[in-house]
């Protein structure tokens, strides 16, 4: 080795000696410390000036000093002690666990004249599990690749860690250009690194990709420091590379798991909030196709029409629907039977090699033009009652794509989907029954109108023609009861119109105060024994259906009388507040309990404690709410227990 080479190697070693994170120190055979690097100062607390020429036993607890004597016998024989775990003592007297590699130092004649020690604290080996990655990096730091190179990129030194990491021996690597390790698409990184080194800048924890002898690409964290000669000139660079491939794979795995969790949470929320069967099935198909990484996914499911006939439908994801339109529905063949019978999941790495495949005519396998399927996964969708709704099917043109984790994910979604589908079917049944109910109400109320009108006419003639007496009294009572019956039929008729979306409103601007005065006059004539307290704040212009708003107010006043029979006072107020007109009707009755207030505007709802005392179907407030809502207003009730009930509604004020 030439003097220059020797100098360069010494500079490289010095750079490594100064920059490495491990504590490195040497001592002679008299146990006097001769070398002490900055990391040793950081680890043990002694400065270079304090420790040089001091006994190495200064660092060794008394109960470990015999251990040192035993080691020195091996060192004198020229043996190396690798990664020996023991206890050492700091300047402050703190005992710390360390891993030490001890090597003999020999003179030119090969005689052992001392030893060098590389010490690393292993305190963090006992840290909590969450620090395991950091601990592993510290313990394995001696396995990091440490490489020296010239400013021209020629490798000048190569440690065992580099050999383990990249696969090249020291003989194979020394003298080669550093591009030996760099993928072609990343060669420009070396130019950037060298520019920084020439400028005296350290490159710290630079994450990149490097290539092994076998062509494998590794994710590494790279720290590059300038190498200086005795004159302080930059003559090369030392690289410390740490393999972080596992970390990157873990990050990708975590990211993938998070994505799957998000998909599962999203699909669970969306299918449980939706009652539309087609939407549910499409969302399930899309989500599970993404989760499995399939080329395509399909959900074949059974439906029964009103005639009780069964037929198959499907949703598709990953490919256009047209890709399946020309092919028949799956039959109960050997391949499909386990799914459609609910026997269990079928997952095959190559379905074309499965003994059940290709046994049925007329296709004996995939129909001509069918999407290529090699990897195959099928999961039955079964309700809690054990009914097989259908199956989820997935295909991929490559073999071995679907794993157990994919199977578990689809089974989880299929279970959720079965519940959602059951709910959807129940909803459809309820909706169908509700439609039939509405049809019956519409037909019955329409058919009742004609005989009621005729009866009313006959009774009015009878009431006018019979002389005073019992017959006339009965005729008057019959007319009153008929009027009540007519109100009930009118309510039913309105309900049928609302459900069919045919309740017509004729909007026109008018002064609501005029309507309120008219209603007050009528109320005074029909309820002479009641005191109606009115408060109307001037002109109250609104745009609305005058007849329907009169229906709302008449209903509220009627309820005030009906549900407070012992009181003799009703209040009605109207005032404009900002862009709204606010109208309220207050009775002096017992009030409405809070648990009833939230239901009182529902269809056919009646307050339980009042339902036996009063007549009616519980439709008036439901109809009133629909009318107010369609006017763009709001309606609600305020009722402290024992202090009556106040029904309030608002309407948008009319502006020219």
């Amino acid at each position: 080795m030439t003097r220059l080479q020797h100098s360069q190697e010494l500079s490289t070693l010095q750079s490594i000696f100064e920059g490495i994170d491990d504590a490195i120190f040497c001592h002679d055979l008299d146990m006097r410390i001769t070398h002490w690097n900055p990391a040793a100062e950081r680890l043990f607390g002694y400065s270079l000036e304090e420790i040089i020429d001091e006994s190495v036993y200064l660092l060794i607890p008394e109960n470990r000093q015999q251990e040192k004597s035993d080691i020195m016998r091996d060192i004198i024989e020229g043996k190396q002690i690798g990664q020996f775990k023991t206890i050492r003592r700091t300047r402050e007297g703190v005992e710390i666990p360390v891993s030490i590699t001890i090597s003999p130092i020999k003179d030119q004649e090969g005689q052992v004249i001392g030893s060098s020690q590389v010490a690393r604290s292993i305190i963090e080996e006992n840290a909590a599990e969450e620090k395991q990655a950091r601990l592993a990096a510290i313990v394995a730091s001696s396995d990091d690749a440490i490489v020296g190179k010239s400013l021209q990129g020629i490798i000048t030194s190569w440690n065992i860690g580099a050999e383990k990491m990249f696969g090249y021996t020291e003989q194979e690597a020394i003298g080669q250009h550093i591009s030996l390790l760099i993928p072609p698409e990343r060669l420009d990184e070396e130019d950037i690194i060298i520019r920084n080194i020439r400028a005296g800048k350290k490159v710290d924890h630079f994450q990149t990709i490097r290539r092994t002898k076998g062509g494998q690409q590794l994710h590494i964290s790279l720290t590059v420091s300038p190498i200086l000669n005795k004159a302080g000139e930059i003559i090369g660079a030392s690289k410390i590379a740490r393999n972080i491939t596992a970390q990157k794979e873990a990050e990708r795995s975590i990211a993938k798991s998070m994505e799957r969790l998000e998909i599962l949470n999203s699909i669970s929320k969306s299918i449980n909030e939706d009652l539309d069967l087609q939407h549910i099935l499409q969302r399930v198909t899309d989500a599970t196709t993404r989760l499995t990484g399939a080329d395509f996914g399909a959900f074949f499911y059974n439906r029964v029409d009103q005639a009780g006939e069964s037929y198959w439908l499907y949703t598709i994801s990953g490919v256009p629907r047209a890709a399946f339109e020309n092919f028949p529905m799956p039959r109960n063949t050997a391949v499909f039977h386990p799914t459609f019978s609910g026997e269990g999941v079928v997952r095959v790495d190559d379905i074309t090699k499965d003994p059940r495949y290709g046994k049925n005519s007329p296709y004996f396998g995939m129909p001509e033009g069918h999407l290529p399927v090699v990897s195959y996964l099928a999961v039955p969708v079964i309700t809690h009652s054990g009914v097989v709704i259908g199956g989820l099917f997935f295909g991929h043109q490559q073999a071995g794509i679907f794993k157990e984790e994919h199977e578990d994910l689809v089974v989880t979604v299929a279970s959720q989907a079965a519940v959602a589908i059951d709910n959807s079917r129940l909803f459809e049944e309820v909706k169908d029954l509700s439609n039939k109910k509405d049809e019956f109400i519409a037909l019955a109320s329409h058919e009742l109108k004609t005989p009621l009108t005729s009866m009313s006419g006959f009774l009015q003639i009878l009431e006018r023609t019979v002389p005073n007496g019992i017959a006339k009294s009965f005729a008057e009572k019959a007319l009153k009861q008929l009027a009540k019956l007519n109100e009930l039929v009118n309510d039913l008729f309105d309900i049928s119109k609302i459900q069919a979306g045919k309740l017509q409103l004729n909007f026109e601007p008018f002064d609501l105060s005029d309507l309120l005065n008219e209603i007050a006059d009528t109320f005074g004539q029909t309820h002479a024994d009641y005191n109606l307290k009115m408060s109307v704040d001037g002109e109250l212009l609104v745009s609305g259906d005058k007849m329907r708003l009169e229906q709302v107010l008449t209903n509220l006043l009627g309820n005030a009388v009906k549900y407070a029979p012992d009181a003799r006072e009703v209040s009605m107020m109207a005032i404009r507040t900002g862009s709204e007109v606010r109208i309220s009707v207050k009775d002096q009755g017992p009030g409405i309990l809070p648990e009833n207030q939230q239901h009182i505007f529902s269809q056919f709802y009646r307050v339980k404690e009042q339902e036996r005392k009063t007549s009616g179907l519980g439709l008036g407030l439901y109809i009133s709410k629909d009318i107010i809502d369609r006017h763009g207003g709001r309606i609600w009730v305020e009722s402290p227990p024992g202090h009556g009930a106040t029904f309030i509604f608002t309407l948008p004020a009319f502006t020219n």
Side-chain angles (χ1 to χ4, degrees):
M1 180 183 295
T2 67
R3 182 175 296 177
L4 176 60
Q5 289 175 327
H6 182 69
S7 176
Q8 287 179 343
E9 184 172 341
L10 286 176
S11 296
T12 300
L13 291 173
Q14 182 65 27
S15 176
I16 294 170
F17 183 77
E18 297 289 339
I20 199 167
D21 288 336
D22 294 337
I24 301 176
F25 56 96
C26 304
H27 63 80
D28 57 22
L29 295 181
D30 293 328
M31 303 300 173
R32 299 295 171 182
I33 295 173
T34 58
H35 294 80
W36 188 259
N37 78 337
E41 180 176 338
R42 291 192 295 272
L43 180 61
F44 296 109
Y46 293 100
S47 69
L48 182 64
E49 293 77 13
E50 291 175 312
I51 201 68
I52 292 297
D53 289 333
E54 293 292 337
S55 173
V56 74
Y57 286 106
L58 196 63
L59 308 175
I60 305 174
E62 290 182 6
N63 61 348
R64 297 273 179 171
Q65 292 186 1
Q66 183 58 44
E67 168 189 281
K68 176 64 176 176
S69 299
D70 295 339
I71 289 172
M72 284 308 297
R73 282 197 294 269
D74 290 336
I75 294 299
I76 291 172
E77 293 177 5
K79 296 178 182 179
Q80 184 184 42
I81 309 298
Q83 296 185 352
F84 176 69
K85 293 183 179 180
T86 185
I87 302 294
R88 290 295 179 258
R89 186 170 53 199
T90 69
R91 186 176 186 272
E92 289 75 24
V94 177
E95 293 187 356
I96 57 173
V98 295
S99 174
I100 300 180
T101 298
I102 308 172
S103 302
I105 300 174
K106 300 178 181 180
D107 61 15
Q108 292 181 350
E109 285 76 30
Q111 296 297 315
V112 175
I113 60 173
S115 75
S116 67
Q117 299 189 28
V118 180
R120 175 180 303 129
S121 169
I122 57 172
I123 293 174
E124 294 192 16
E125 283 188 10
N126 302 320
E129 186 177 351
E130 63 270 17
K131 296 181 180 179
Q132 184 177 353
R134 188 184 305 169
L135 174 62
I138 294 171
V139 173
S141 63
S142 63
D143 291 330
D144 290 345
I146 303 175
V147 180
K149 66 178 181 179
S150 70
L151 293 178
Q152 290 71 42
I154 303 301
I155 297 172
T156 57
S157 65
W158 187 262
N159 76 335
I160 295 296
E163 181 175 331
K164 290 179 179 179
M165 185 178 296
F166 297 112
Y168 294 98
T169 64
E170 183 178 14
Q171 292 74 24
E172 290 174 317
I174 298 256
Q176 297 292 323
H177 195 273
I178 197 68
S179 59
L180 181 74
L181 310 176
I182 305 175
E185 67 274 11
R186 291 182 175 267
L187 286 172
D188 58 334
E189 291 179 359
E190 181 62 16
D191 295 333
I192 296 171
I193 290 171
I194 289 296
R195 280 201 300 270
N196 277 278
I197 295 301
R198 287 182 184 275
K201 297 178 181 178
K202 183 180 178 182
V203 178
D204 233 348
H205 304 300
F206 175 60
Q207 294 189 8
T208 184
I209 294 175
R210 290 296 179 259
R211 185 174 56 189
T212 69
K213 181 180 179 180
Q216 180 186 1
Q217 292 197 336
L218 302 178
H219 288 272
I220 66 168
S221 176
L222 195 62
T223 297
V224 188
S225 304
I227 297 176
L228 307 178
N229 62 14
K230 291 182 179 180
E233 298 169 336
I234 298 171
I235 59 172
S238 67
K239 289 188 174 185
I240 301 176
R242 176 162 297 168
N243 188 347
I244 58 170
T245 301
Q247 175 185 330
K248 288 295 182 182
E249 288 176 352
E251 289 174 359
R252 284 195 296 270
S253 177
I254 291 171
K256 191 173 183 179
S257 297
M258 290 299 294
E259 180 186 12
R260 286 176 175 173
L261 283 174
E262 288 175 4
I263 293 173
L264 287 173
N265 288 336
S266 175
I267 189 63
S268 175
K269 181 179 179 181
S270 63
I271 66 177
N272 286 318
E273 290 178 349
D274 199 343
L275 290 173
D276 186 285
L277 181 61
Q278 190 65 24
H279 289 171
I280 292 171
L281 298 181
Q282 189 62 58
R283 287 174 180 171
V284 168
T285 309
D286 291 341
T288 49
T289 301
R290 282 183 62 193
L291 287 169
T292 59
D295 283 340
F296 71 88
F299 194 155
F300 289 90
Y301 60 99
N302 188 34
R303 292 215 68 174
V304 179
D305 60 21
Q306 292 183 347
E309 296 293 330
S310 178
Y311 60 100
W312 286 92
L313 294 175
Y314 68 93
T315 55
I316 190 75
S317 184
V319 292
R321 193 174 181 85
F324 271 73
E325 287 178 345
N326 296 326
F327 299 109
M329 290 291 174
R331 298 168 297 147
N332 198 18
T333 61
V335 170
F336 294 128
H337 176 74
T339 307
F340 290 137
S341 65
E343 289 180 4
V345 176
V346 177
R347 176 167 56 88
V348 184
D349 287 341
D350 188 343
I351 192 63
T352 63
K353 297 178 181 178
D354 191 278
R356 295 168 290 187
Y357 178 80
K359 304 298 184 184
N360 299 89
S361 63
Y363 303 109
F364 296 100
M366 296 293 175
E368 184 178 351
H370 194 282
L371 294 168
V373 178
V374 179
S375 288
Y376 175 79
L377 174 63
V379 177
V381 180
I382 308 171
T383 66
H384 285 182
S385 59
V387 177
V388 181
I389 300 170
L392 282 158
F393 299 85
F394 306 93
H396 199 286
Q397 59 185 335
Q398 297 178 16
I401 294 297
F402 305 127
K403 309 298 182 185
E404 185 176 355
E405 60 180 303
H406 300 123
E407 178 183 324
D408 293 341
L409 288 168
V410 177
V411 168
T412 299
V413 176
S415 176
Q416 294 175 337
V419 175
I421 292 168
D422 268 351
N423 291 340
S424 174
R425 288 182 168 180
L426 288 172
F427 174 72
E428 291 293 333
E429 291 175 8
V430 170
K431 189 166 68 172
D432 184 55
L433 290 173
S434 180
N435 289 338
K436 290 179 180 178
K437 177 261 297 179
D438 293 337
E439 290 174 6
F440 170 76
I441 290 174
L443 177 63
S445 58
H446 183 270
E447 293 298 322
L448 286 170
K449 292 289 285 183
T450 301
L452 284 175
T453 303
S454 299
M455 288 173 62
S456 178
F458 294 148
L459 285 172
Q460 288 178 26
I461 294 172
L462 181 63
E463 191 267 338
R464 287 196 299 268
T465 55
V466 298
N468 291 334
I470 294 177
K472 191 176 185 69
S473 174
F474 283 167
E476 290 173 348
K477 290 179 179 179
L479 279 170
K480 288 181 180 179
Q481 294 302 316
L482 190 62
K484 290 182 180 180
L485 181 59
N486 198 50
E487 286 181 9
L488 296 177
V489 172
N490 284 336
D491 283 348
L492 287 172
F493 200 50
D494 283 344
I495 283 291
S496 67
K497 288 181 179 179
I498 290 172
Q499 300 294 350
K502 295 180 180 179
L503 185 67
Q504 298 295 323
L505 297 180
N506 299 312
F507 284 81
E508 60 178 350
F510 67 94
D511 189 349
L512 188 64
S513 58
D514 293 337
L515 176 61
L516 294 174
N517 288 325
E518 292 173 10
I519 292 172
D521 289 341
T522 303
F523 184 85
Q525 295 172 11
T526 55
H527 300 83
D529 52 345
Y530 274 81
N531 176 28
L532 177 61
K533 296 178 67 175
M534 279 276 293
S535 176
V536 179
D537 185 20
E539 189 179 67
L540 302 173
L541 292 178
V542 297
S543 177
D545 188 312
K546 188 174 183 180
M547 183 185 73
R548 290 297 181 182
L549 291 175
E550 181 179 1
Q551 180 181 348
V552 172
L553 287 162
T554 301
N555 177 261
L556 295 180
L557 287 170
N559 285 346
V561 172
K562 183 189 301 184
Y563 292 103
D566 298 329
R568 286 295 178 265
E569 184 175 288
V570 178
S571 301
M572 185 165 63
M573 299 178 60
I575 187 173
R576 175 165 178 169
T577 57
S579 60
E580 292 182 330
V581 173
R582 178 182 172 118
I583 304 96
S584 63
V585 175
K586 177 176 173 56
D587 63 46
Q588 302 297 322
I592 304 170
L593 295 175
E595 58 266 29
N596 292 325
Q597 292 180 26
Q598 58 182 325
H599 303 294
I600 202 162
F601 293 100
S602 302
Q603 187 178 351
F604 298 113
Y605 184 81
R606 300 181 66 204
V607 178
K608 289 183 174 58
E609 60 267 22
Q610 296 289 340
E611 61 185 3
R612 294 182 181 179
K613 302 177 184 178
T614 58
S615 61
L617 297 175
L619 294 174
L621 290 176
Y622 175 81
I623 296 170
S624 297
K625 185 178 187 306
D626 183 77
I627 292 171
I628 297 303
D629 287 347
R630 294 174 65 185
H631 276 78
R634 298 170 292 125
I635 186 169
W636 68 95
V637 63
E638 295 176 358
S639 181
H643 293 81
T646 303
F647 284 84
I648 306 160
F649 68 90
T650 64
L651 297 170
F654 177 74
T655 55
N656 293 321

